[in-house]
Amino acid sequence: VKGTSIEATVLYNIAHIKVRQYKYSDALQYHKRALGIRRALKDRQAEAQSLNDIGSLYILLKNNAKAFANYTLALKIRLSEKDIKGAAESHNNMGTLFMQNNDYKHAVISYQLALQAARESQAHAEIAKSYDGLYECFK
């Protein structure tokens, strides 16, 4: 796979446009092309962002197993890259996925890990998501 980071960013942005148009399978193709370029360029943070967004797309496609696999891989990369803010986002996404599957025990753990990382990185939007998720779990 040849390509530049600019090309990967364009493909990534087109994928997001396709999501807004409810063209999820098209969006998936663009995300996968962007992911391939980002991997070839060894841009680990961008790769993790692509995997995270592919995970979110799989939720829209009602495929929670693939969503979980992508979220897990994104989290693993973010932790290895010490991307604390990204890890907070990944933990929150996993918490939401666990909650949708009525697995409140794992959802609470994920949201607590997200909150810890979000506080550390001062990611205010992720802090709010963590508290919202914890509230929904305990409700």
Side-chain angles (χ1 to χ4, degrees):
V1 177
K2 282 190 174 185
T4 64
S5 61
I6 293 170
E7 184 182 354
T9 301
V10 169
L11 292 167
Y12 175 85
N13 289 334
I14 291 171
H16 281 274
I17 291 167
K18 294 295 181 185
V19 169
R20 287 188 174 172
Q21 296 170 338
Y22 306 101
K23 296 179 180 174
Y24 301 141
S25 57
D26 289 351
L28 188 58
Q29 296 313 308
Y30 282 102
H31 269 310
K32 285 183 175 181
R33 286 173 55 200
L35 177 62
I37 293 169
R38 287 170 164 182
R39 281 184 170 153
L41 295 171
K42 295 182 177 18
D43 185 344
R44 299 287 281 163
Q45 284 193 321
E47 177 184 353
Q49 187 63 54
S50 283
L51 288 164
N52 178 74
D53 291 14
I54 289 169
S56 296
L57 188 53
Y58 275 122
I59 287 178
L60 295 172
L61 290 165
K62 307 274 189 260
N63 189 332
N64 287 356
K66 284 192 176 183
F68 185 78
N70 280 275
Y71 283 159
T72 302
L73 193 50
L75 177 60
K76 186 176 173 186
I77 292 169
R78 285 169 161 173
L79 292 173
S80 74
E81 293 292 309
K82 305 207 180 346
D83 175 7
I84 309 300
K85 184 177 179 181
E89 180 185 27
S90 289
H91 282 302
N92 272 330
N93 287 339
M94 293 183 79
T96 302
L97 193 54
F98 284 128
M99 197 169 57
Q100 286 175 354
N101 291 323
N102 298 318
D103 183 350
Y104 296 105
K105 178 185 168 197
H106 287 103
V108 167
I109 292 167
S110 292
Y111 285 131
Q112 287 173 333
L113 289 168
L115 184 58
Q116 186 179 352
R119 282 181 174 155
E120 188 179 330
S121 63
Q122 297 182 354
H124 301 292
E126 296 304 322
I127 291 170
K129 286 181 195 171
S130 300
Y131 278 124
D132 287 345
L134 287 166
Y135 170 78
E136 290 300 322
C137 286
F138 289 117
K139 190 171 79 169

